[in-house]
Amino acid sequence: MKKIAIFISGRGSNMKAIVEQCQSGILSGIAEPVLVFSDHSDAAGLKYASEQGIATASLESKGMKRADYDRLVLEILAAYSPDYIVLAGYMRILSPVLVNAFPKRIINIHPADTTAHQGLHGYEWAWENKLPETKVTVHFVDEGLDTGSIIAQEIVDLHGATSLEDVETRGLAIEHRLYSKTLKELFES
Ligand code: GRF
């Protein structure tokens, strides 16, 4: 069983999808969420995680240098000894302190093709550019902004999309499936 620490900043719908798959889906017997961590103590997903009996922790980052913050994150993680860190809507760039402590063991999901669009607002970008399709990307995390090597991608069909909400709904449905599927393949390889 791979022990995973899932990092979120808000809603946590990807985290929820992964937890469900660990409990009774394709990640059952393969991965175990040992911690859900957030940089915001009021992140909605934390409540869900603790209701599921998963340990939670949070640490506000205000005024802190990135490396100092990540050193404290590592101290928190030490109590749970995760094999992997799974970023799921975690809105911080990681410092070398964290990246080097988990080489090729930090994964992220990005709501666009990371070679075409990095950073925030991936679905807005697809909607505003009227793209006929976009791609959701699961990738390893390095010190850059969505620059780590790609593990898996899946096309989101945007033909006939009527609103940004529609684009997001289509994309998230794919994210929720793709992330667990990709983690399963990675953990079993
Ligand atoms: C997702 O679109 C994910 O790809 C991006 O941030 C969003 C997080 O949503 N990195 P949620 O918190 O998992 O619902």
Side-chain angles (χ1 to χ4, degrees):
M1 280 265 251
K2 300 288 190 225
K3 291 197 258 179
I4 59 172
I6 308 176
F7 283 25
I8 63 171
S9 289
R11 178 176 61 186
S13 70
N14 276 287
M15 176 272 296
K16 183 167 181 274
I18 292 166
V19 166
E20 286 170 357
Q21 293 303 318
C22 288
Q23 288 169 336
S24 57
I26 62 167
L27 288 169
S28 159
I30 293 170
E32 176 195 8
V34 291
L35 175 71
V36 173
F37 172 80
S38 182
D39 56 336
H40 296 300
S41 58
D42 60 353
L46 289 177
K47 185 168 174 286
Y48 167 81
S50 61
E51 284 166 3
Q52 300 304 307
I54 301 166
T56 61
S58 64
L59 181 66
E60 300 289 336
S61 60
K62 205 162 173 245
M64 234 184 277
K65 287 207 178 100
R66 197 171 287 159
D68 293 337
Y69 181 83
D70 283 350
R71 255 177 228 113
L72 295 177
V73 172
L74 279 180
E75 281 179 23
I76 293 171
L77 287 177
Y80 302 93
S81 14
D83 298 303
Y84 283 84
I85 297 176
V86 174
L87 307 184
Y90 185 63
M91 308 305 280
R92 292 179 59 80
I93 297 175
L94 306 190
S95 72
V97 170
L98 201 45
V99 172
N100 295 337
F102 286 85
K104 287 259 173 187
R105 288 190 291 135
I106 309 179
I107 325 291
N108 184 44
I109 190 156
H110 181 69
D113 181 345
T114 48
T115 64
H117 177 88
Q118 302 81 30
L120 297 172
H121 310 306
Y123 290 130
E124 284 89 333
W125 167 77
W127 170 244
E128 278 159 18
N129 288 289
K130 301 187 171 42
L131 302 185
E133 62 181 38
T134 192
K135 269 182 197 165
V136 166
T137 307
V138 179
H139 63 96
F140 288 112
V141 174
D142 61 17
E143 294 142 33
L145 180 61
D146 303 319
T147 49
S149 58
I150 293 172
I151 309 169
Q153 289 189 310
E154 191 171 324
I155 288 172
V156 184
D157 182 0
L158 298 179
H159 287 98
T162 53
S163 63
L164 173 59
E165 290 67 35
D166 186 8
V167 169
E168 277 174 352
T169 303
R170 294 183 192 203
L172 280 168
I174 293 197
E175 287 191 42
H176 295 161
R177 198 180 60 240
L178 180 69
Y179 213 173
S180 292
K181 176 174 171 270
T182 306
L183 291 176
K184 176 182 158 66
E185 286 164 6
L186 181 71
F187 295 161
E188 287 182 331
S189 66

